[in-house]
Amino acid sequence: MVSSTFPYPPTRGGTQVRTFNLLKYLSQNHSITLVTQCESDVTNSEIEGLRDCVDNLVVFERPSDGQTSAVILKKIQRLGTFFFTGTPPSVLNRYSIEMQAWIDNFVKSGKCDVITCEHSVNEIYIRPYFQTQVKTIVNIHSSVYGTCLDQLATGTSENQFRDKINLPLLRHYERIYCSKFSHIVVTTVEDKQQLQQFRQSSQIAVIPNGVDLVTFPNRPTDPGGHRIIFIGAMDNLANIDAVYFFSNEVLPEIQNLYPDTTFDIVGSRPEPAILSLGQKPGINVTGRVPSMGEYLHKSTICVVPMRTGFGIKNKTLEAMAAGIPVVGSDRGLEGLAVDGINTPLRALRANQPTEYVAAISQLFEQPELRYQLSTHARQLVETQFTWEIAGQRYEEICL
C-alpha cells in the first residue's frame, strides 16, 4: 500500500481515515507493506502505533522545498512540469525520488502480489509496466478533474482564471494515469460515471467510506439546546468554504431566532482565517480533539454545508453513526439515501441559507424529529457503511 499521507491515528481525518481502516481490515488476512511519508507533526509514538498495524512499515520524510528562494523556484518548476507533462503540482510536491527507488526495487524483487495507491496523488509512483508484474489498484478518493469542474461551476474556486486553464490539463492527466491501473476504486456512483468518460473499458468498483462504530457510538441521550457542530480537517478547501458560508450567511440568521446558539468548528489544522472566526459571537474553533464522538454527542445538530467536493463525506457518516441529526447540502449528503419516496427520513436537506434556517429551526423545535433522524441514520450506517463492509469489498478487488 502506498500512501504519501501518514494514515495514523485515524482521528487525523481526511484521506487518512479511509486508508487506515482499509489497511486495518486487510492486515487480518494478508501481509501488508505500507510505504508512506511523515511530516513534522508526526510523533515517534504514532509511527510505532502504525507499525503495529502492518507487517512492514517503510517511512520516508516528506520532501521539503528548503529556503524561500528554493520554494519559489520549485513551484515554478512544478507548474512548468504540469503544462508540459500534465502532472499537477499537488502530486509533484509530495514526490520523493528515494520513495520511488524503494518501490521500484520492491516490485522488481517480486515481493508483492498487489500494489494499491491510497488516493490518486500516489499514482505517480506506479510505472506503466508494473501491470505486467503485479495487480495495480488506485483507490481514488475523488476525481481531480471533476473537483475542479465542480468548483468552477459552483463559484468556490480559489482562482477561477487558473482553474479554467488547468481544467483540460487535469482531464488529460486523469485519463492518462487511470490507464496504468488494472483496477480503479471510487467512493460513489457519480465518481464512477465521471471516470468512465475517460476509460469505458476500465474496471471501476464503487466502495463507499465507512465508520468505526466503536469510535463513534450512538449517543445515549439527546442533549437538546441550540448547539450546532461541523467536523472535518480545517486545512481542506471544501471544508473552509463550507464553514465560511455557514458562519457568515446562515448562523447570524439562526442566532437572531435563537440568541444562545453556538457553532463548534471541530477539526485538525485550522488555518488562521478559520481561527479568526472564533472571534464571532457563539463560534468556537477547537482544532484537533481527542474524541470527535464526544463533541458530537454534546451537539444538538451537525451541519454539513458543503458546496464543492465529490464523494461520500466521512463527516456525514460519523455524525449519523453518533446519532446526531444532520442538516446537509446535496454535496454533503452525496451518495446517501436520506430522503425521497419509500426512503426513511435520515437527514434534512438544505442548500440555500433560508433552507438551512428552516431545517435547523425545525430540529430545534421538534425533539421527536431529532429522534427520528437519529434512529434512521444510525440504522443506515450499521447496515451499509461500516469499515468491515468496505474492507470486505476492497479485499475482493485485491484478490
Side-chain angles (χ1 to χ4, degrees):
M1 300 182 80
V2 181
S3 174
S4 59
T5 51
F6 192 82
Y8 190 87
T11 52
R12 285 178 179 273
T15 64
Q16 293 94 318
V17 175
R18 183 172 173 90
T19 301
F20 174 78
N21 282 285
L22 291 177
L23 76 83
K24 180 181 176 182
Y25 182 87
L26 290 176
S27 65
Q28 296 176 93
N29 300 312
H30 306 279
S31 175
I32 306 293
T33 293
L34 175 66
V35 188
T36 187
Q37 294 177 0
C38 67
E39 301 183 47
S40 58
D41 64 341
V42 175
T43 66
N44 289 333
S45 63
E46 288 173 339
I47 292 175
E48 293 309 308
L50 182 57
R51 196 180 303 280
D52 290 339
C53 299
V54 294
D55 291 85
N56 187 20
L57 177 65
V58 184
V59 182
F60 292 88
E61 294 290 330
R62 182 175 176 181
S64 172
D65 287 339
Q67 301 299 320
T68 303
S69 58
V71 170
I72 296 172
L73 177 60
K74 288 189 176 181
K75 283 185 176 180
I76 294 173
Q77 290 174 339
R78 286 195 289 263
L79 189 61
T81 301
F82 183 29
F83 281 109
F84 286 106
T85 70
T87 305
S90 59
V91 176
L92 293 167
N93 68 10
R94 285 185 172 272
Y95 182 68
S96 163
I97 296 174
E98 293 79 13
M99 189 166 159
Q100 179 73 72
W102 194 96
I103 292 170
D104 288 347
N105 289 332
F106 193 71
V107 173
K108 184 178 180 181
S109 69
K111 293 181 179 179
C112 66
D113 304 300
V114 181
I115 183 167
T116 76
C117 288
E118 303 304 319
H119 197 289
S120 59
V121 296
N122 299 288
E123 64 76 22
I124 194 170
Y125 294 106
I126 305 304
R127 308 288 193 186
Y129 68 83
F130 281 5
Q131 279 193 71
T132 64
Q133 301 176 31
V134 297
K135 179 181 286 190
T136 53
I137 301 171
V138 59
N139 185 4
I140 300 174
H141 290 231
S142 62
S143 161
V144 290
Y145 168 75
T147 298
C148 183
L149 183 66
D150 177 65
Q151 289 173 348
L152 285 169
T154 57
T156 55
S157 167
E158 284 187 309
N159 186 324
Q160 289 205 8
F161 177 75
R162 176 202 64 195
D163 287 347
K164 285 179 180 178
I165 294 175
N166 289 352
L167 193 62
L169 296 171
L170 290 174
R171 180 183 176 88
H172 176 72
Y173 162 72
E174 200 152 63
R175 181 177 61 81
I176 294 298
Y177 90 67
C178 281
S179 68
K180 298 192 294 183
F181 294 90
S182 52
H183 292 75
I184 297 170
V185 174
V186 295
T187 61
T188 67
V189 173
E190 290 78 8
D191 280 342
K192 179 176 180 178
Q193 293 170 344
Q194 174 70 60
L195 293 171
Q196 278 182 327
Q197 295 180 26
F198 303 141
R199 292 188 61 79
Q200 290 287 338
S201 60
S202 294
Q203 296 190 54
I204 305 176
V206 179
I207 303 179
N209 286 337
V211 180
D212 183 340
L213 298 181
V214 175
T215 304
F216 293 92
N218 197 7
R219 71 179 179 187
T221 59
D222 178 351
H226 304 128
R227 188 168 181 174
I228 303 171
I229 190 172
F230 176 92
I231 61 174
M234 288 319 305
D235 59 350
N236 175 277
L237 173 63
N239 289 344
I240 293 170
D241 174 77
V243 165
Y244 260 98
F245 163 71
F246 188 83
S247 298
N248 295 323
E249 299 189 39
V250 179
L251 185 62
E253 298 302 319
I254 295 292
Q255 289 174 328
N256 284 338
L257 299 172
Y258 306 92
D260 64 336
T261 298
T262 60
F263 181 39
D264 293 332
I265 302 170
V266 183
S268 59
R269 303 180 297 277
E271 293 196 342
I274 295 298
L275 290 172
S276 68
L277 289 176
Q279 299 173 13
K280 291 178 175 287
I283 296 182
N284 307 303
V285 182
T286 69
R288 185 178 172 185
V289 297
S291 173
M292 195 74 80
E294 289 182 11
Y295 268 84
L296 284 166
H297 286 178
K298 297 175 184 176
S299 305
T300 319
I301 298 169
C302 179
V303 291
V304 193
M306 314 304 293
R307 299 195 297 176
T308 186
F310 285 91
I312 293 177
K313 309 300 183 291
N314 285 332
K315 58 179 67 65
T316 307
L317 292 175
E318 290 166 356
M320 287 180 165
I324 316 306
V326 171
V327 177
S329 64
D330 291 340
R331 282 279 175 244
L333 301 174
E334 183 179 352
L336 301 173
V338 299
D339 51 15
I341 300 173
N342 299 323
T343 299
L345 189 61
R346 295 163 172 145
L348 297 186
R349 193 179 297 273
N351 291 291
Q352 301 302 320
T354 53
E355 295 171 340
Y356 280 101
V357 172
I360 292 170
S361 298
Q362 193 178 6
L363 285 170
F364 278 169
E365 299 288 346
Q366 299 180 31
E368 68 280 2
L369 180 59
R370 296 199 299 270
Y371 177 79
Q372 179 186 5
L373 296 189
S374 297
T375 303
H376 291 162
R378 173 73 184 193
Q379 290 172 347
L380 175 69
V381 173
E382 288 178 343
T383 56
Q384 297 185 35
F385 295 101
T386 67
W387 284 119
E388 183 175 3
I389 294 171
Q392 288 172 351
R393 296 181 65 182
Y394 201 42
E395 184 178 39
E396 291 172 2
I397 302 298
C398 292
L399 293 178

